[in-house]
Amino acid sequence: MAILLQDYANTFKQKYFDIKVFATDADTHAITFAGAGLYAESITSDVPKEYLDRYFVKEGNCYRIIREIRQKVIFAPQDIINNAPFSRIDLATCRNVLIYFKAQVQDHVLKKIAYSLAPSGFLFLGSSESLGEVSKLFTSINPTHKLFQYQSTNMPEVVPTFPQHPDVYAPRLAQNFRETPKKPKRSQSNAACATMLVSVFGDYLPDCIIIDKDSHVLYSFGDTSLFMHIPSGQVDMHLTSLTIPPIQTTLSTAVHQAQQSREKVVYKDLSVVHNNQTIKFDLIVHPFMLQENNECCLIIFNDGKRDAIKEGDVISNVDIDKQTIRRIQDLENKLEFTEETLQATIEELETSNEELQATNEELRAANEELHSTNDELHSTNEELVTINNEYHVKIREMSSLNDDMENILRCSEISTIFLDKELHIRRFSATSQNFVQLKDADIGRPFSHFSHLTGDINLLDLANRVLTTNTQIDRELKTESQKSFLVRVYPYISHIDLCEGVVITFVDITALKDSAQQLETAIHERSAAREALRQTEEQLAKLAEIRKSSIIYCRRLSGEKNFTYISSNVSELFGYTSNQFLSDPSFWVDCIHPEDSSRAIAYFEKHFPKTGATPLEFRFKCYDGTYKWLRDETKLIIDDERKSKESLGSWIDITLEKSNSS
């Protein structure tokens, strides 16, 4: 409880929320053990992990409550039946304790708890406990969980007390129980009247007391200490318990005589010994009605200071023997009446007890049946909770699958229509409205009721054929906007591999058709280019045969800029293979004479692609290490887009020409 209250204070940031919990028990050993705040490791199955981490500290194989929470709980031994209750408690919990007490003791304990509660405090009982006769003191807040709120305006004036006795517990522990006589109640009006009498007539009233019809003292005026005393221990307000022994018999006789005759009784010249002195006094007992059905007596102890005896009062002589005999006779008559009343009460109680036993047996049988029914209901409830959880999981899965389906239909840009076995609309995507005029309200309607914007393709006929043959049918649709769609009708197969309907899809293949046409054109152009290249190669080969001293080549002008063709006589002229030129783009560059390298590279990279054919003379290293003078003659190859992507050229051996000129 302290943990829950502290957690509430932390949650709502109640910094100055002072919490004190009084934990009591009649067993001092249990109080000592609980005060240690040490719990077994098994509490992990009952305490949530967040509370375990926040309010407990691990010590070996145990958990100890943190100091902050322990300081909020005060453990103390207390007997809730006999010990005085605490005061101004905001919440009292008394769970599964009252069921072991008799009904009278339950009422007694509940009244003490009500007395201890603050105004509008709360009481929390166990599930099998009830308020009984003290229900008028509380208002029910939650009947199911037995939470009640105390109403201070209904608080009884006197809290009854019970002696410490072993038979106050369950009937199986004892057979008899004697209730301590209840003390008389004193109303507020009587108290106000007594206060007024003392304040106004205090100086004129003789020493006297007022008793009720049961001889319980209600009020006392003046100094009556010569005639009455308060014994030690628990105070009994009965007249005979408070009166000193020498005058008990005389006073009891006078009171009984006044109550029977309902007339004033006067005894003169009585005496008592006080501090070795004999003090004479007159005893006057005057009966009167304080309220309706509330007979009282005024007892005056007149020591002669005031004249309390009036003319005409009948003065009775005090004869101890006659008084004793009369008192014994009165007591015998009262005892006989009490025995008769007790016997009648016992007979009534025996009859009531038999009826209660029979009722108890019926209630016990009904309780067993209710327990059995409750167990069955609990088991059924657990099954329903399990099934409900499974349904929740299935619903979440179905919702997720439905969302996936909606997103697939929306993102795929494929128009889709689902039909059942009777060819009624089951579901459709938004884009399918371009082909069939559908609305959300049309789900469940026959597909034959709708017009189709599909030209000469009869969707209804195709759907019937698919249901009959269980095979897929494809058709190509050309719309008025010159778009091409692939209409595909195929069976809707269920999880048990049965045809449960038809699915119609419309796939936009316009871009695919355009791409296919472009690809076909490109393939045709590439074939024409290959044929032109083949013819060029043949012409170059013939030209190479004519000019043995020259090399014919084709070279790319972008990318890796390597040779795409070189005539086969390169090995005769330079000693290298054709593959060395074709596979390595930098091979021929490395063979150029260092003095001609930069000029030749500039020529091939920048000069002639812009200016056209310009002769270049440079030295080229042969396989045997010698250099030959070459003259390059290059022509640009222009494609259909008027762009130069390759060059066609020849290297002519002018070594002999250079030697003759030098």
Side-chain angles (χ1 to χ4, degrees), residues 593-639:
H593 195 280
E595 295 179 358
D596 302 332
S597 178
S598 60
R599 181 170 52 85
I601 292 174
Y603 168 80
F604 285 109
E605 292 294 331
K606 300 179 180 179
H607 183 63
F608 81 85
K610 296 181 179 179
T611 60
T614 302
L616 170 68
E617 295 180 355
F618 63 96
R619 285 166 286 182
F620 193 84
K621 185 178 180 180
C622 298
Y623 180 77
D624 56 4
T626 61
Y627 284 91
K628 289 186 177 182
W629 279 93
L630 301 177
R631 178 184 294 119
D632 178 82
E633 294 181 357
T634 302
K635 296 289 185 179
L636 299 180
I637 300 177
I638 307 301
D639 59 12

Side-chain angles (χ1 to χ4, degrees), residues 435-487:
F435 305 95
V436 181
Q437 295 179 348
L438 297 174
K439 296 182 294 185
D440 292 339
D442 294 332
I443 293 178
R445 293 182 59 189
F447 189 58
S448 59
H449 289 182
F450 302 94
S451 59
H452 307 155
L453 306 177
T454 54
D456 57 351
I457 299 178
N458 191 331
L459 295 179
L460 184 61
D461 180 58
L462 295 180
N464 282 311
R465 289 171 56 188
V466 168
L467 280 178
T468 304
T469 61
N470 202 22
T471 57
Q472 177 179 315
I473 299 176
D474 294 342
R475 293 288 186 271
E476 185 174 333
L477 172 65
K478 192 77 170 182
T479 65
E480 295 179 355
S481 59
Q482 300 304 313
K483 286 189 175 182
S484 299
F485 290 89
L486 175 62
V487 181

Side-chain angles (χ1 to χ4, degrees), residues 128 147 345 386 415 420 463 505 563 599 622 631:
S128 301
L147 182 63
T345 303
T386 303
S415 302
D420 59 16
T505 60
F563 289 90
R599 181 170 52 85
C622 298
R631 178 184 294 119

Side-chain angles (χ1 to χ4, degrees), residues 414-660:
I414 298 177
S415 302
T416 308
I417 300 174
F418 295 90
L419 307 178
D420 59 16
K421 294 177 68 175
E422 285 74 28
L423 297 183
H424 291 176
I425 305 295
R426 294 181 55 179
R427 182 195 292 266
F428 59 88
S429 62
T431 56
S432 62
Q433 296 174 345
N434 297 327
F435 305 95
V436 181
Q437 295 179 348
L438 297 174
K439 296 182 294 185
D440 292 339
D442 294 332
I443 293 178
R445 293 182 59 189
F447 189 58
S448 59
H449 289 182
F450 302 94
S451 59
H452 307 155
L453 306 177
T454 54
D456 57 351
I457 299 178
N458 191 331
L459 295 179
L460 184 61
D461 180 58
L462 295 180
N464 282 311
R465 289 171 56 188
V466 168
L467 280 178
T468 304
T469 61
N470 202 22
T471 57
Q472 177 179 315
I473 299 176
D474 294 342
R475 293 288 186 271
E476 185 174 333
L477 172 65
K478 192 77 170 182
T479 65
E480 295 179 355
S481 59
Q482 300 304 313
K483 286 189 175 182
S484 299
F485 290 89
L486 175 62
V487 181
R488 177 167 291 172
V489 185
Y490 50 93
Y492 182 96
I493 305 300
S494 66
H495 65 283
I496 56 176
D497 203 24
L498 292 178
C499 179
E500 297 291 342
V502 174
V503 181
I504 304 174
T505 60
F506 301 87
V507 182
D508 189 352
I509 59 173
T510 304
L512 183 62
K513 295 282 287 184
D514 293 342
S515 298
Q517 187 174 359
Q518 293 175 4
L519 180 60
E520 184 179 354
T521 303
I523 292 174
H524 179 72
E525 292 177 351
R526 188 174 182 85
S527 298
R530 286 183 178 276
E531 180 62 25
L533 180 61
R534 185 185 62 78
Q535 294 177 0
T536 303
E537 289 177 352
E538 291 178 355
Q539 294 175 0
L540 290 175
K542 293 179 180 179
L543 183 60
E545 289 297 330
I546 297 172
R547 300 183 62 177
K548 296 292 185 179
S549 60
S550 63
I551 301 297
I552 307 301
Y553 68 87
C554 285
R555 178 174 168 271
R556 291 194 185 97
L557 300 180
S558 60
E560 295 183 351
K561 300 180 181 179
N562 60 330
F563 289 90
T564 59
Y565 170 80
I566 192 166
S567 57
S568 58
N569 61 337
V570 66
S571 58
E572 298 177 3
L573 193 60
F574 301 135
Y576 302 119
T577 64
S578 301
N579 189 50
Q580 288 178 287
F581 286 87
L582 298 176
S583 61
D584 187 359
S586 61
F587 170 74
W588 66 278
V589 177
D590 296 336
C591 293
I592 299 175
H593 195 280
E595 295 179 358
D596 302 332
S597 178
S598 60
R599 181 170 52 85
I601 292 174
Y603 168 80
F604 285 109
E605 292 294 331
K606 300 179 180 179
H607 183 63
F608 81 85
K610 296 181 179 179
T611 60
T614 302
L616 170 68
E617 295 180 355
F618 63 96
R619 285 166 286 182
F620 193 84
K621 185 178 180 180
C622 298
Y623 180 77
D624 56 4
T626 61
Y627 284 91
K628 289 186 177 182
W629 279 93
L630 301 177
R631 178 184 294 119
D632 178 82
E633 294 181 357
T634 302
K635 296 289 185 179
L636 299 180
I637 300 177
I638 307 301
D639 59 12
D640 295 339
E641 298 178 356
R642 310 301 298 172
K643 294 182 180 179
S644 301
K645 296 182 179 180
E646 287 185 314
S647 63
L648 176 63
S650 63
W651 288 344
I652 303 172
D653 185 2
I654 59 172
T655 306
L656 182 58
E657 181 180 339
K658 284 289 185 180
S659 299
N660 294 332

